Each structure stands twice: as structure tokens, then as C-alpha cells.
Amino acid sequence: MAGNIEHSLPAYGEKTIHAPDEKTIGAADQGRRESSVGSAEILAGEMYDERVDSTKRGLKSRHAQMIALGGTIGTGLFVGSGQTLARGGPAFILGCYLFMSFLVWCVVTGITEVAAWLPTKGCSMNLFGYRYVSRSLGFAMGWLYWYSLGILVPYEITAAGLVIDYWKTDVNIAVWISIMLVVIVGLNALPVRFYGETEFWFASLKVFMMIGLLLLSFILFWGGGPSKDRLGFRFWERPGAANTYLETGNTGRFVALLSTLVLSAFPFTFAPELLVCTGGEMESPRRNLPTAARRYFYRLIFFYIGCVLAIGILCPSNDSALTDGGAGAGSSAFVIGIKNAGIHGLDSVINAGIIISAWSSGNSFLYLSSRSLYSLAVTGNAPKFFKACTKSGIPYRAVAASSLFTLLAYLNCANSGSVVFNWFVNLTNTSGFISWICCGIVSLRFMKACQAQGITSDMMPYHNKWFQPWGSWVAIVGFVFLTLVNGFTVFWPENWSVSSFMTAYVG
């Protein structure tokens, strides 16, 4: 099948974009066809302009697979999940993560079909939005990605600063922020193979740490800790499996469930898009990209679902350290549970691992942000100034512009860390929902284009017959709902403020 695919698809460097067969198009569609072909030729000319350097394929198969497994697993999962547990309780957080994993898997199966079919240089969802839907959607998605992913870099650094504060050091947090910024920007200024290699080892550490935490949770569940105290599902009974929020009774539980669902989205934010973006700089993308996508399913089950099941066993949802009572968001539910179990020293090891996770995620988000700006320049939706690359394939101007967002991390020096933490969570939640809605639209239009061209699923490098195309429709409906309810709690009189409303809905 691979041989048929390569012969049926245009070569990566081919500059001609063929028009649809005349027999498949009515006379009334002739003008629209000529317009779309013209846009495709413009796009091809921009992508394959030999007068300028472009990105290079420097990511090996092992880089791609490990980035897919752990690339964007960061403080959102290790730290932010503690706040989500406090909001909803162990049953609600588990149910919400299951539902969110299903919606994200629907997105992954759809966008991988598109990216595996056309893994061009500058590969990103905004480029596919431009190609398969409209220039305006490509424009909107590209700038959405650039600022949202750029903001996620200082978010991860801010969260890492909170984690460092767990040790009560006398060093000003600005010092730690500066060190992390220099490393993240420096790695993105190097050729992509260095990014791939560092992310391979960073992601490997995250994967091994998560496996270790899951094993520890299993041991403590059966009473294998120092105190021989068998935890079981104790915290599902006391303080309870489900909390209330803002109201009492069943109404309060429903509000807590809805709020938990919104908070649960953040650890997944922009993780599927990383798969697509690496396709443009990946060796043998039509083979490696589908493999990475299939393994993404196991990441969702073992890491995300396993994580929230574990913290529901280790830590009670009413522990004051989950919120701003103890070390704030700098204490994850894992760390609190390990301390409560009487295991000494391990909490510091886990905290160190969380810092590495934040470093790794910030590195990935800056990579994504810079490539989004580069793709905008390639499609003519941003100044061509940002299209420039070094001989080794680094879009250095796009990297420099995206790196300016990292300076926002210094807000943590003047504001309460928890306030900044929640501001970033709300802002990027909305952007993530909007991105996934657009991904569903792009996926559906790509499938429609395949039907118009007579391209069947057996001709495609990747197709999930169990989830597509209905999965894209489910994802669109689900994320439209989540976008609308993202900040619903601000409408309670005790929570209302103009700034909170704007943060939740400005996207």
C-alpha cells in the first residue's frame, strides 16, 4: 500500500498543484474551481520558493514517537490536576478526564489524516485551514496559535517557579525564571535535531516518572507504604467522591462537575497540534506520523486517566495544600499524597521531575509558536520577514519574535503566583477549545475534498474508520459547548468581575 500511496501523491518538492478533473465539476462551479486552483498555486509557490532557506527534516522516528508520548505533559497534569481534584473530587475528575480524552482522540484521528496526507514544510493546522477551508480561517488559526502557544511558555515557567517555591529557597524567583528562559530560547535557536534529542530525553524522564508514580499509587493502595496503612478508595468515601461548588445539594454537584470539566481541558491543550507540527520536520512523515498518532491513544489512557485515578487514591480532595493554603499550586497532588504517606525525600524527587516537565513543555510550546508564525509567513498571512531560515532550517526571526512572550513570566515577581497561574489557565483554555473546533472543521473539509477527488481511505497513509468522520462532528459540538461555558462561574454574584469575564471570554 505504501508504494501506491507514494505514486498517487505529489512529491514533497513538486510545484504543480493539479486541478480537479473536469468531469467531477459542473459548469456552475467553474469560476470557483479556477479561484481555488489559483490559491493552491500561490500556496505552492510560497512553500517551495527555492530562493530562501526553509525548515529541514531533522526529527528521527524515535524523536517523533517520544514527543507524541510526552511532549506536552507538563505542570498542567502534574500540578494543575490538584486544583481540579479540589474542585470536583475523585469521581468527577476521573469522569471528566475520560470524556476529555475521548474528545481529544476524535481530534487526533481527524487531523492526523490531513497531516499524513500532506506533511509539507511549515506543516501546521493553520496552513491546512488556509488550504482546505479558507484563507481567513488559516489567518485566524495562525495568529491564535502564535499568541496562545507563546503565552503557554511563560505559564509553564511560572508554574515551575511555584514548584521551586516548595523548597522555601531564599533565591529570588526571577533568577530561576531567567535560567529557564535562557535554556528554552537557546534550545529553540539550535537546529531541530537538537530540539528532538532534548525532547526525547525530557519526554523519557516524564514517561518513566509517570510509570513510577502509578506503581507507587498501586503499592500504597494495598498498604505497602511505611505505615502499612491501606488506602484503597478511602478518599472516595471521606471526604467523598464528588464535591459541591457555589451551591448546595445536587445543584452544587452539577456546578462542580461542569467546572471540573472546564478545568480538565488544560493538560490536553495543544497536544494534538504538536503531532501535526512535527510532521513538517520529521523524517519519513507518512510512516512515522500515523505510528505516533496510534500510540497517542495509549498516552491518553495510561498517563492522563491513570494520573487522575492515582491522585484520587493518594490525596483527599479537601487537603488545604491543593489550593493556596500550603505551598499553593507548587504542591501537586502527588507530592501531597507522598508526604501524607510518610515517605521522606521522594516528594523532592517528584518536584524536581515536575520542574523538568515544565521546562520540556515550555520548550515544545515555543517550538510550536515559532512554527505557527513561520507557517503564517509561508501562506502570506504574516510578513515575509518571518519566513527567513538559517542554513540549518531554523526560522530564526519567528523564534525571536515568539520568544518575546517569555518575558511575561516576570509577572510572577510582582503578582501572587496563584493569580498568574489561573489567568494563564483560563486564557489558554478558551484558545484550546477554539483550536479544536477549527481542527474539526478542517478535517471535515479535507474529507469532502478527498470525496470530490475520488480519493478512498485505502489510498491514504492514515485513516481511522471507527472514529471518522463522525468523531470530528462530536468534537466540534463538544468543544463549542465548552467554549460557551468556559467562564460560567463568573456569573455568580460573589464571583462577578469584568476582568474575570474578559479573561474567560475574550478569545
Side-chain angles (χ1 to χ4, degrees), residues 55-56 59 121-127 142 145-146 149 187-193 195 273-274 276-278 280-281 363-378 386 389-390 392-396 398-400 402:
T55 56
K56 309 294 182 184
L59 294 177
K121 295 178 179 180
C123 184
S124 67
M125 285 312 299
N126 53 290
L127 186 145
Y145 286 141
W146 181 64
L149 291 162
L187 287 173
N188 275 271
L190 295 172
V192 71
R193 67 178 181 275
Y195 163 78
E273 290 86 340
L274 181 61
V276 174
C277 195
T278 55
E281 298 179 63
N363 193 30
S364 292
F365 289 136
L366 182 56
Y367 170 81
L368 281 168
S369 180
S370 61
R371 272 30 175 204
S372 296
L373 184 56
Y374 171 75
S375 296
L376 281 168
V378 165
F386 296 112
C389 292
T390 63
S392 55
I394 300 300
Y396 62 97
V399 171
S402 300

Side-chain angles (χ1 to χ4, degrees), residues 42-55 373-380 382-390 394-398:
I42 291 171
L43 177 58
E46 291 289 335
M47 290 165 61
Y48 307 121
D49 189 349
E50 295 174 352
R51 294 172 297 176
V52 296
D53 292 306
S54 61
T55 56
L373 184 56
Y374 171 75
S375 296
L376 281 168
V378 165
T379 55
K384 289 187 177 181
F385 175 82
F386 296 112
K387 188 180 171 183
C389 292
T390 63
I394 300 300
Y396 62 97
R397 291 172 181 170

